[in-house]
Amino acid sequence: MFTKTSWDLWKEECKQLGVVTFCRDLDQAIGSGVPVGMISEFCGPPGSGKTQMCLQLCINAQIPAQLGGLGAKAVYFDTNFGFHPGRLQEIASACVRHCQRLVQIHKKELVAATRDFTIDRLMNGVYYRHIHECSEMLEGIETLERLLKSGEKIKLVVIDSISFLIRNNIENSFERIQVDHVILTKLHVLAQQYKCAIVITNDVTTRINGQDSQVIPALGDTHSHKINQRVILGQSDEDPAGVHIASVEKGLFRTRMAVKFQISQAGIRGVRKK
């Protein structure tokens, strides 16, 4: 009846690599990068870095396994026209240069193995689809499942943003909860079955309680229970332009904590400690 123990699951988890963000502090806070087999949410207001994070992850998921990456492709579902191929190419170029330097300095024996790690290959390794309606999202997930079943090596799935899709297509609150539940349940199944990382972005909204107000993630508590990890992004008021804060509000690997990261021309990077 029982085929696995908690020890078996723990050993499997230890072997699984995540998708690194290129911010070491954030990677450690969420468990060696964005974990596979789970749904991770990046939440925040406009300009907080959600889409930039998604673009970076799409490139980093393709880093060769010899360099500690997953060597896999990514799927990007864009609901609000936030995807910028020019920016993706810029991030890809910086990633290629970074990996080339790493090989030249530390792992010269991998020069031949990483010769095909090029900008063109990285750009071709991101499947893109714009989603207008919730029914299209469900169709997209079915297409994704067929690709995975056929053996396509996809290890990252991005929905940017799930809240924009649901809130702009459905007015009834109960129906929103139902559709959100269906989408996330299907994604959970794919994440577990094919060991891919699911990344969704969410907006923030204001909750009014008498004379008090509070800025909270959109889509409500039911949605919060369906995701495995939540990282709230925001700009730092105390640091130079480009420095942001990532606050882990819900995580499986660490207690609540906040780390700094920066968005540069090269993409997401850590902030050097003084």
Side-chain angles (χ1 to χ4, degrees):
M1 181 182 296
F2 298 105
T3 59
K4 288 186 178 182
T5 67
S6 59
W7 174 256
D8 296 325
L9 295 174
W10 180 77
K11 288 193 295 183
E12 290 178 5
E13 187 176 282
C14 290
K15 294 178 182 178
Q16 292 173 359
L17 297 175
V19 185
V20 297
T21 66
F22 276 175
C23 173
R24 182 177 298 178
D25 289 341
L26 179 55
D27 289 336
Q28 292 176 346
I30 58 179
S32 300
V34 177
V36 299
M38 302 181 188
I39 298 179
S40 298
E41 178 182 273
F42 289 95
C43 180
S48 59
K50 300 187 298 294
T51 297
Q52 296 294 316
M53 184 67 71
C54 292
L55 295 176
Q56 184 72 63
L57 292 171
C58 284
I59 296 301
N60 291 0
Q62 302 180 65
I63 294 175
Q66 298 96 322
L67 296 179
L70 300 181
K73 296 181 179 180
V75 170
Y76 201 109
F77 293 111
D78 178 21
T79 70
N80 58 0
F81 293 103
F83 183 87
H84 298 285
R87 178 57 174 153
L88 184 69
Q89 186 180 44
E90 196 171 44
I91 293 172
S93 177
C95 183
V96 169
R97 293 195 302 270
H98 171 77
C99 290
Q100 288 175 342
R101 287 195 301 268
L102 184 65
V103 168
Q104 288 295 332
I105 296 173
H106 301 289
K107 299 184 177 183
K108 292 185 178 180
E109 69 276 10
L110 296 179
V111 170
T114 56
R115 189 171 289 128
D116 293 334
F117 189 66
T118 64
I119 298 173
D120 289 347
R121 182 165 182 171
L122 290 175
M123 295 294 287
N124 281 318
V126 181
Y127 294 127
Y128 172 86
R129 179 172 177 177
H130 182 74
I131 301 295
H132 296 272
E133 299 177 354
C134 295
S135 58
E136 292 179 355
M137 185 73 256
L138 295 173
E139 292 172 2
I141 294 175
E142 290 179 359
T143 302
L144 170 63
E145 185 175 10
R146 287 195 295 270
L147 287 172
L148 291 168
K149 283 183 177 179
S150 70
E152 193 78 31
K153 193 176 181 182
I154 297 169
K155 289 296 182 181
L156 175 68
V157 180
V158 172
I159 301 179
D160 183 24
S161 89
I162 192 168
S163 53
F164 185 89
L165 174 69
I166 292 176
R167 296 169 78 190
N168 283 275
N169 280 279
I170 305 173
E171 294 185 3
N172 183 274
S173 297
F174 182 69
E175 187 180 351
R176 284 182 179 179
I177 293 173
Q178 286 183 311
V179 172
D180 185 47
H181 179 84
V182 170
I183 291 173
L184 294 180
T185 298
K186 289 179 178 293
L187 291 173
H188 266 298
V189 171
L190 295 182
Q192 284 290 318
Q193 187 171 355
Y194 297 99
K195 298 303 177 186
C196 53
I198 309 294
V199 171
I200 62 176
T201 65
N202 192 4
D203 300 311
V204 293
T205 187
T206 302
R207 175 184 288 172
I208 306 297
N209 185 13
Q211 295 182 341
D212 298 326
S213 62
Q214 181 183 12
V215 177
I216 60 172
L219 299 180
D221 294 336
T222 304
H223 171 83
S224 298
H225 293 317
K226 288 288 289 182
I227 60 175
N228 300 111
Q229 294 202 121
R230 168 175 281 158
V231 181
I232 297 182
L233 306 180
Q235 296 185 9
S236 174
D237 297 327
E238 303 175 355
D239 296 285
V243 176
H244 292 62
I245 302 292
S247 301
V248 181
E249 295 295 318
K250 180 182 181 181
L252 298 177
F253 303 98
R254 299 288 187 276
T255 56
R256 287 190 177 189
M257 63 183 301
V259 301
K260 293 181 180 180
F261 70 97
Q262 61 180 331
I263 302 176
S264 66
Q265 184 176 0
I268 302 295
R269 295 294 187 272
V271 175
R272 292 184 178 180
K273 299 176 182 179
K274 298 180 180 179

